[in-house]
Each structure stands twice: as C-alpha cells, then as structure tokens.
Amino acid sequence: MKRIIFIGKTGSGKTTLCQNLDNLELKYKKTQSVEIYNKSIDTPGEYLENRYYYKALVVTSADADIIALVYDCTNEESYIAPGFASMFMKDVIGIITKIDLAEDESLINRAEKILKEAGVSTIFKVNTLSGEGMKELMSYIEG
C-alpha cells in the first residue's frame, strides 16, 4: 500500500481518515503536530490555513506517495487556492468529506469545483462514518 498524506483545514476529517485506513477506533482529537500512522500522515489544519507553513507541507510530503487535499463540503470558506497542488511533485488527489451532512448536492459540487481548480487529479467523495466512498479510496491507495 502506498503512504498518503492528508492536508486540509482544521476539522475537515483528516484524522478520521487516518484512523479509518488503519482500522482504529474513530475518536476525535485535535492534531497538534504531524502524526505518522501505518498507512498515512496526518497534518495539522493550521499547516494549510497559514501560508507560512506551506513549506512544512512540502517537506513532510516527501515521505508520502500520494498527496490528498481534504475538503469538508459543509464548510462555506474556500481555503485551498487555485493551483495549490502544483507545489507538489507527486500525484495530488482530492477527498470531499462529510457528504452525508451536505444540505444539497450544490455543496458537494462547490467542493469539487474548488478541488479541481486546485489541480487535483482525481476526486473521492466519502462518508468515513458509514464507509461510503471508502472502498474506492482504499482501492486507489492500494493500486
């Protein structure tokens, strides 16, 4: 299996994705620093929220095979800049989380548009609690 790094805003679901991939008990905890799991790397949301930390994301991504931009579709802010994926020299995918909480399809479509503008190659729509979309994501990571 390839190692994947999750990059996204605070509360977007990065830690839950890591716990899900390693079949760990799902429990919320605020990620304070980069955390290494068996199959993934979890980054603090502040690394994306503050441009000063972009260089930390680039350096940390060296240990990953796949870069994943994680976007909570219920969040109204656009915090991933167009072309953001171009700073990485690896495959960058997009993961739209909390699809079960979207009031309507327009929120998911908006998240998809933002991720495409950021330059991701593939987009996965997931609900980590029910498992919706996780099989496809796992298949991609294992590919």
Side-chain angles (χ1 to χ4, degrees):
M1 174 180 266
K2 297 176 182 173
R3 177 169 273 176
I4 185 168
I5 184 171
F6 295 109
I7 299 169
K9 189 172 180 358
T10 302
S12 63
K14 302 176 302 294
T15 301
T16 304
L17 283 164
C18 290
Q19 293 170 348
N20 198 301
L21 290 177
D22 279 353
N23 294 315
L24 300 171
E25 177 186 351
L26 299 180
K27 61 182 191 177
Y28 177 78
K29 63 183 187 114
K30 171 69 181 92
T31 303
Q32 298 294 328
S33 62
V34 173
E35 293 193 22
I36 308 296
Y37 289 78
N38 290 329
K39 302 171 186 171
S40 56
I41 302 169
D42 189 8
T43 61
E46 292 81 5
Y47 281 26
L48 177 65
E49 295 163 5
N50 185 337
R51 290 183 204 197
Y52 179 78
Y53 292 111
Y54 282 9
K55 55 189 159 206
L57 291 173
V58 172
V59 170
T60 306
S61 72
D63 291 331
D65 302 300
I66 302 169
I67 287 75
L69 298 182
V70 181
Y71 196 97
D72 168 3
C73 68
T74 66
N75 194 318
E76 295 182 14
E77 300 179 272
S78 176
Y79 50 85
I80 300 174
F84 182 82
S86 66
M87 77 172 76
F88 304 99
M89 300 307 291
K90 297 180 182 180
D91 186 25
V92 181
I93 64 170
I95 302 174
I96 300 172
T97 58
K98 304 180 185 180
I99 59 172
D100 56 314
L101 301 177
E103 293 175 6
D104 58 55
E105 192 69 23
S106 68
L107 295 176
I108 295 171
N109 293 338
R110 180 180 175 276
E112 193 168 12
K113 180 179 184 275
I114 289 167
L115 289 170
K116 283 180 181 177
E117 288 175 354
V120 303
S121 62
T122 307
I123 296 176
F124 297 91
K125 301 169 188 173
V126 302
N127 174 349
T128 52
L129 300 180
S130 73
E132 183 181 351
M134 289 302 294
K135 181 179 175 185
E136 293 82 2
L137 177 60
M138 286 294 292
S139 179
Y140 184 86
I141 295 169
E142 291 172 354

